[in-house]
Amino acid sequence: MKGLELACFLLMIVPQVVLGTHDVYIVTMEGDPVVNYRGGVEGFPATATDLDEDMDITSEAVTSYSLHLRRHHDKLLDSLFVEGTYEKLYSYHHLINGFAVHMSALQAEFLRKAPGVKHVERDMKIQKLTTHTPQFLGLPTGVWPTGGGFDRAGEDVVIGFVDSGIYPQHPSFSVHKTDPFGPVPHYKGKCEIDPVTRRSFCNGKIVGAQHFAKAAIAAGAFNPDVDFASPLDGDGHGSHTAAIAAGNNGIPVRMHGHEFGKASGMAPRARIAVYKVLYRLFGGYVSDVVAAIDQAVQDGVDILNLSVGPNSPPTATRTTFLNPFDAALLSAVKAGVFVAQAAGNGGPFPKTLVSFSPWITTVAAGVDDRRYKNHLVLGNGKLLPGLGVSPATHENKSFSLISAADALLGSSATKYSALDCQRPELLNKRKVEGKILLCGYSFNYISGTASIKKVSQTARSLGAAGFVVAVENSYPGTKFDPVPVSMPGILITDVSRTKDLIDYYNSSTIRDWAGRATNFQATAGIADGLAPTLYNSAPQVALFSSRGPDVKDFSFQDADVLKPDILAPGNLIWAAWAPNGTDEANYAGEGFAMVSGTSMAAPHIAGIAALIKQKNPKWSPSAIKSALMTTSNTLDKGSHPLRAQQYSASEIMTLTRATPFDYGSGAVNPKAALDPGLVLDATHQDYITFLCSIPDVEHSEVSNITGSSCNASSKGQQRPYDLNIPSITVSQLRGTQMVKRTVTSVADETETYTIMTRMSPEIALEVSPPALTVLPGASREITATLTARSVTGTYSFGEVIMKGDRGHLVRIPVVAMGFK
């Protein structure tokens, strides 16, 4: 102890050094958390149960052991450091045994060497992974009727949203026009009180509402005036994701006097539990997220939706799968909670995923069959396509065009960025009135300081007949979305079309000797863009959706796990919005928003998982994940192979044939997922064995972070791709490898399956037996044999197809790369 006493002495005599370099650290301790504790500490009976849903979190055993762990954390810190030189933020006790503490790097080093401390890791930041879809997915006719109709779809299933909070007054979460919501006995979460209105955030539909910001406050990032020290959504993101998964059915989406349809969540009778960890300006911190996940599982949620992810793969562990965030989610899955996480928005580039682990369902974003398009008709007869969810110009007539550059008020306006039409006071109303205002698209739109909505407001205040925003320079990676506006307006995104527009305008505008415009003879009309067009070439993988392969470490080495897992709608999704939300400038002050991201895809899967959970309450999270994956589609509505949006060599968006690295197993098929025939199940121990089989990962590291030990014989005997998940990925196939999978029948009757394979010619794929019969509840093993025929340095793709004689179809994607 002399070294520790010296450390305390140093901390007392040099507090200015310690206090100047504080960070938040996540600490993992020896000893089991509540979900794993099977006894052994004197005076504290076991809390773990064989069936995790049987655990009573209010029992004396659970509460006393939880208090014991918290006190142990406090005692350790008090014994090491002087009071006031650190701040403990959270004690984690349900899913992992540890705590989050705000301290100096020097203190963290001493803590790493303290008895009973397994792992110390500096906190990381996280980010957001930012109506028509129930019909597109076939829920009203194919799924909801099996659960008693939309007014019972998801009944008594609780979905936890780890996000930016909620706007509880929104009609998507209202209880005024719904059947009464009774209590949910298995959910024990609390409801915070709004500090302004003094009202509870809960109403029966919303059953829990809490916020977590201790790490953000300690880091100096939290501003209570902007971020709200409550579950209130100050961003919009959290309300949007909650409504996608569990919003009320049939809510009219009205904006600017037009109804765009009726919105519904995937499971409209599911309950909502809010765990706010994301904030307007800075995102959030992993230690706050881990606290929220720990609390959500302790409260009794059935499903967790995570439309958040780390900014990069973790650097403090040897593998991406071993970090406090993923370890907490592993324990959540052990506790029976299904976890859906957004894949990330780093597409279309490879290895951009921010969701890594096989116990998580990683969701890619698809473009559904609804597209909003519009066009501008020039006076010379040219038709320029663009984006604009707007009404047509009055009586479909044409009006004179005027460029913002020709409407400037005086030379002083040149010091402002007037051409993007964000400031009406810089433009001459007398000149603009009755004309279509032509504006430029600047980098301000990309940075968020300019918006199409503001252009609309500018044009309206000046009495314009409409507006055009024209993109003159290409901005690689920029995603242009149509924006609903209250007056005729259009965004021309094609630079070559913008050139046509500008050439026509310049050739038709008469100027004086000084270059001032004196007569505006260029005319144009804007078409009606309020109605969407439906396409059969859907779904497609969205351009922004992060792509695989999955990576196993910070050096981006390929993992033997297929990611993403599944594709769900995530492009231009209408759903609830917080009127005070700032996440999208174009929807400031609105009650609904149409936004894109894998953030929007994940809650589709969370809601559909709730429907599966409602029908099959005893299914494990891995069984639900298997049902979703093995029944998914790899063909679009037109019966063609799925395609992915991609960049060409000239950075123009094009479509290419999609692969499992784009969509995982395929596009979600909710009706089939309710009755998959077979599932591939995996236990908590299976996941531990997977972690122990990863090369270069020490068994002690697995034990330190997960609290579970490796079998001494697992090294060498088990390989990562032996994990019983509904996909097969071999990143380095040398010679011939055999991979086994165990399927379990969840059907009501005995069924015989014929087994076939399909594979790229570089890899030989065989499976045995060629057919098998499975009794209800029984399990059978199949063996896939992969042989590298050639070494190409690229991946080959295929699948194992199991076709049942009672109509079930089970698909297992296969991905492999031949190596010498």
Side-chain angles (χ1 to χ4, degrees), residues 135-155:
Q135 287 74 27
F136 176 68
L137 295 172
L139 295 176
T141 58
V143 176
W144 289 345
T146 66
F150 73 83
D151 54 349
R152 290 292 175 265
E155 187 76 73

Side-chain angles (χ1 to χ4, degrees), residues 174-325:
S174 170
V175 296
H176 297 309
K177 295 182 180 180
T178 64
D179 289 345
F181 286 96
V184 186
H186 72 274
Y187 182 75
K188 311 293 184 184
K190 68 178 183 179
C191 293
E192 293 184 21
I193 302 298
D194 189 315
V196 177
T197 66
R198 307 307 302 169
R199 293 179 179 176
S200 171
F201 276 87
C202 296
N203 60 5
K205 172 72 172 176
I206 304 169
V207 293
Q210 302 171 60
H211 82 288
F212 300 80
K214 290 180 180 178
I217 293 169
F222 187 84
N223 180 347
D225 295 330
V226 176
D227 296 312
F228 304 122
S230 78
L232 182 64
D233 186 4
D235 181 284
H237 192 269
S239 300
H240 201 268
T241 57
I244 291 171
N248 291 330
N249 180 63
I251 305 302
V253 179
R254 294 193 183 101
M255 194 178 298
H256 310 310
H258 181 77
E259 184 174 310
F260 290 93
K262 289 182 166 57
S264 173
M266 300 294 102
R269 280 292 285 186
R271 311 301 180 90
I272 294 169
V274 177
Y275 300 87
K276 179 178 172 181
V277 298
L278 285 174
Y279 298 89
R280 288 181 174 185
L281 300 178
F282 59 87
Y285 291 84
V286 167
S287 53
D288 286 331
V289 174
V290 171
I293 294 169
D294 191 76
Q295 188 64 55
V297 177
Q298 184 177 339
D299 290 345
V301 301
D302 300 297
I303 312 288
L304 263 181
N305 180 79
L306 297 170
S307 291
V308 301
N311 292 344
S312 65
T315 60
T317 55
R318 288 181 185 268
T319 178
T320 50
F321 314 122
L322 279 175
N323 62 81
F325 182 80

